[in-house]
């Protein structure tokens, strides 16, 4: 007979991700949210035939390029505005309006994994920027580098912090495109046949779909893009299996598929990532890229006892993130340099 204590025991799984990074399922409290995206699930299989797809034999690329970027807000500052030209209405007419701005550092780089040299840093660049809606903003020189002014049009309907954060992310995306393009140029001396590399961007491919042979690698999930019956199938994927390719459109269009990386069994979506590629390539090429990702990416999956975002945080990307953060500089020294510059 089962005792009351035994009957009341609760089975549960611990999300392997460090809580400071959120969760691999971002709306964990309420489950993955519904989506209004347009989805065409007929690309590889008819919806009635959808099933987990096992890995197949594919030709390995000449090199795999992993691209990632990091950002850090060094300080929030307030930029004084010139006195208003409107008629005085009282003793405060000479007071200046102040607008909030972000001083941030950001960096992007590429790790190349090729047969001759293994995994190695290929390109890296970093920037410092001032992000604001203040029209009178100018570059801010400090002893730790110059913060280049990026003036964003004001939008009264959007939260200012979100507006400035989006502007910062846009500059980081542009820098990631730049380092990815330079990385392919640098491959010329690696003995890699032109056009045989694969580019893996950590994060959505938005703004980078023009890059050839590129995949977006999404580690966490906040939205259920597929119909309920097809979405439920994702939780049944075994390590190394993927979903069929589908086409999805939100504010932009792309081919996509889900893949489960090798991981400790547990939560239904443990180890699941979403891959994206451009929408303007043929369906057959998209399926080839899906097969290639399935055969290739599991070998780069991180291990739980070494990485708090395992297995989704791929080993080359984790190493690249550490190097990029090192290039951002010491935040204490950067904050001090900004305070000195403001006093001057």
């Amino acid at each position: 007979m089962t005792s009351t204590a035994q009957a009341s025991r609760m089975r549960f799984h611990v999300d392997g991700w460090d809580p400071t990074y959120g969760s691999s399922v971002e709306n964990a409290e309420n489950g993955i949210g519904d989506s209004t995206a347009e989805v065409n699930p007929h690309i590889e299989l008819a919806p009635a035939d959808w099933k987990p797809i096992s890995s197949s034999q594919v030709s390995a690329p000449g090199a795999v390029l992993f691209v990632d970027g990091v950002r850090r807000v060094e300080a929030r500052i307030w930029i004084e505005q010139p006195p208003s030209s409107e008629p005085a209405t009282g003793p405060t007419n000479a007071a200046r309006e102040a607008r909030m701005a972000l001083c941030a550092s950001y960096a992007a780089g590429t790790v190349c994994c090729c047969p001759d040299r293994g995994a190695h840093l290929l390109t890296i660049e970093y920037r410092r920027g001032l992000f604001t809606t203040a029209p009178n903003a100018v570059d801010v020189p400090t002893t730790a580098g110059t913060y280049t002014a990026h003036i964003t049009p004001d939008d009264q309907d959007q939260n200012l912090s979100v507006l400035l954060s989006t502007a910062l992310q846009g500059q980081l995306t542009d820098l990631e495109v730049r380092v990815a393009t330079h990385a392919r140029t640098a491959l010329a001396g690696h003995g890699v046949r032109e056009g045989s590399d694969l580019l893996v961007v950590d994060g959505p491919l938005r703004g980078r779909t023009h890059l050839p042979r590129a995949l977006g690698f999404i580690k966490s999930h906040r939205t259920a893009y597929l119909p309920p019956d097809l979405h439920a199938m994702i939780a049944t994927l075994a390590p190394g299996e993927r979903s069929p390719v589908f086409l999805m459109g939100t504010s932009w269009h792309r081919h996509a598929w889900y893949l489960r990386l090798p991981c400790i069994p547990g939560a239904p979506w443990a180890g699941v990532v979403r891959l994206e590629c451009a929408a303007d390539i043929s369906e057959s090429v998209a399926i080839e890229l899906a097969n290639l990702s399935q055969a290739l990416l599991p070998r780069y999956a991180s291990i739980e006892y070494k990485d708090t975002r395992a297995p989704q945080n791929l080993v080359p990307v984790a190493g690249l993130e550490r190097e990029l953060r090192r290039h951002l500089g010491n935040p204490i020294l950067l904050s001090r340099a900004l305070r000195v510059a403001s006093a001057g």
Side-chain angles (χ1 to χ4, degrees):
M1 177 179 289
T2 302
S3 68
T4 302
Q6 289 176 320
S8 63
R9 287 185 62 187
M10 177 184 70
R11 290 179 55 84
F12 65 95
H13 302 286
V14 177
D15 192 323
W17 277 35
D18 185 331
T20 58
Y21 291 110
S23 169
S24 57
V25 177
E26 294 194 7
N27 287 337
E29 294 86 354
N30 302 310
I32 298 178
D34 293 333
S35 169
T36 57
E38 299 176 4
V39 173
N40 177 4
H42 296 265
I43 302 302
E44 186 171 6
L45 291 175
D49 298 326
W50 262 49
K51 61 182 179 180
I53 296 176
S54 300
S55 182
S56 57
Q57 290 285 81
V58 296
S59 298
V64 185
L65 303 174
F66 293 93
V67 180
D68 195 15
V70 298
R71 46 182 272 185
R72 185 179 68 205
V73 174
E74 309 295 359
R76 288 177 174 81
I77 66 173
W78 295 90
I79 300 175
E80 291 187 358
Q81 301 298 285
S84 174
S85 59
E86 295 178 0
T89 57
T92 61
N93 66 302
R96 293 170 178 261
E97 177 192 3
R99 295 197 186 183
M100 188 185 76
L102 301 180
C103 288
S105 302
Y106 52 103
T110 310
V111 166
C112 174
C113 296
C114 60
D116 291 344
R117 300 180 59 179
H120 58 283
L121 185 65
L122 193 59
T123 57
I124 189 167
E125 295 190 30
Y126 73 94
R127 302 280 189 275
R128 304 204 194 284
L130 169 68
F131 299 87
T132 182
T133 60
N136 64 325
V138 295
D139 296 353
V140 177
T142 75
T143 56
T146 297
Y147 289 79
T148 303
H150 299 277
I151 301 173
T152 300
D154 200 358
D155 184 350
Q156 298 295 331
D157 295 329
Q158 188 171 15
N159 179 276
L160 180 58
S161 296
V162 173
L163 186 68
L164 299 182
S165 178
T166 300
L168 168 57
Q169 187 61 40
Q171 289 298 315
L172 177 56
T173 297
D174 290 346
L175 189 59
E176 289 176 352
V177 172
R178 176 183 171 89
V179 299
T181 303
H182 287 181
R184 282 182 157 153
T185 302
L187 276 179
H190 284 56
V192 176
R193 180 171 53 85
E194 184 177 357
S196 68
D197 60 86
L198 177 69
L199 187 71
V200 180
V201 176
D202 191 65
L205 202 59
R206 181 173 186 169
R208 292 163 282 201
T209 54
H210 63 286
L211 296 171
R213 304 178 306 285
L215 298 178
F217 182 88
I218 295 87
K219 293 191 282 275
S220 58
H221 313 281
R222 66 181 69 181
T223 304
Y225 293 106
L226 296 167
D229 55 335
L230 302 185
H231 175 80
M233 192 215 74
I234 306 303
T236 70
L237 295 174
E241 290 183 337
R242 67 171 177 86
S243 74
V245 175
F246 57 97
L247 186 67
M248 59 184 290
T250 50
S251 57
W252 61 293
H253 290 74
R254 65 276 201 196
H255 289 99
W257 59 95
Y258 290 94
L259 168 68
R260 191 187 295 272
L261 299 173
C263 63
I264 296 174
W269 280 62
V272 173
V273 296
R274 189 177 80 250
L275 281 302
E276 299 177 342
C277 66
D280 59 358
I281 60 177
S282 68
E283 295 177 359
S284 61
V285 171
I287 293 170
E288 288 176 6
L289 286 172
N291 289 334
L292 182 57
S293 72
Q294 183 180 16
L296 191 68
L297 295 183
R299 71 181 66 172
Y300 295 108
S302 51
I303 302 172
E304 283 79 0
Y305 71 88
K306 289 185 177 181
D307 194 314
T308 54
R309 287 180 288 169
Q312 291 99 316
N313 202 35
L314 302 178
V315 172
V317 173
L320 177 57
E321 286 179 343
R322 289 192 294 270
E323 186 65 18
L324 291 173
R325 290 194 177 95
R326 187 180 72 82
H327 276 74
L328 292 184
N330 187 310
I332 297 176
L333 296 180
L334 293 173
S335 177
R336 181 184 303 164
L338 282 167
R339 289 197 300 271
V340 171
S342 68

